[in-house]
Amino acid sequence: MFQENLISLRKLNGLSQEELAEKVGISRQTLSKYETGEAVPDIQKCKKLADIFQVSLDDLVNYEKDENEFGVGVPPKGKHIFGMVKVGDKGQIVIPAKARKIFRIEPGDNLIVLGDEAQGIAILKEKDFMGMVHKIRTGQ
């Protein structure tokens, strides 16, 4: 997992082995060994790599693509792809279990649907949205 994620992130960010090695403070040969699985970086080097790519350390080391993730590699910190949902006849969608768990969406919660024709649709929990509105109104 780690070596595939490292290669994927390096290429996604348009970095050569030499460029990434320089950012991490190691030789190109050492980076090559990380990518082939001949060597494993220590925790400080892993943390530095995660910071360079703006991904979590856990995702850098353990992330495995699901079959439904459209071939996308390790996501940036806090970003998720939950897969596809189908819109029903009445406009209903089922929020994937992983999304419900991460965002603590429980049965009976009220959700607000926001839209921007240029950027898409966002779904927020009502209480989170109302909290933002309160902060804006009170200037906090």
Side-chain angles (χ1 to χ4, degrees), residues 6-96:
L6 179 58
I7 293 167
S8 173
L9 286 165
R10 180 178 60 76
K11 289 180 178 180
L12 182 67
N13 285 273
L15 295 170
S16 67
Q17 284 184 336
E18 189 72 37
E19 291 167 326
L20 180 56
E22 186 176 317
K23 287 178 181 267
V24 179
I26 58 175
S27 69
R28 189 208 54 79
Q29 292 82 358
T30 298
L31 182 69
S32 178
K33 287 181 181 181
Y34 294 168
E35 290 187 355
T36 61
E38 292 177 50
V40 178
D42 63 30
I43 193 72
Q44 287 87 6
K45 296 286 190 272
C46 283
K47 177 74 172 110
K48 190 155 190 164
L49 286 163
D51 290 344
I52 289 168
F53 295 127
Q54 297 181 334
V55 300
S56 73
L57 184 56
D58 183 51
D59 279 344
L60 174 65
V61 175
N62 297 314
Y63 182 81
E64 288 186 70
K65 283 190 278 190
D66 290 336
E67 291 177 19
N68 63 350
E69 291 192 25
F70 314 105
V72 176
V74 180
K77 286 182 188 172
K79 308 291 183 192
H80 306 275
I81 295 177
F82 297 109
M84 272 195 272
V85 296
K86 186 173 242 175
V87 178
D89 293 338
K90 296 181 181 178
Q92 71 274 27
I93 62 168
V94 175
I95 299 171

Side-chain angles (χ1 to χ4, degrees), residues 120-131:
I121 293 175
I123 300 173
L124 300 153
K125 290 173 79 170
E126 177 189 31
K127 66 181 182 177
D128 295 337
F129 179 74
M130 295 312 291

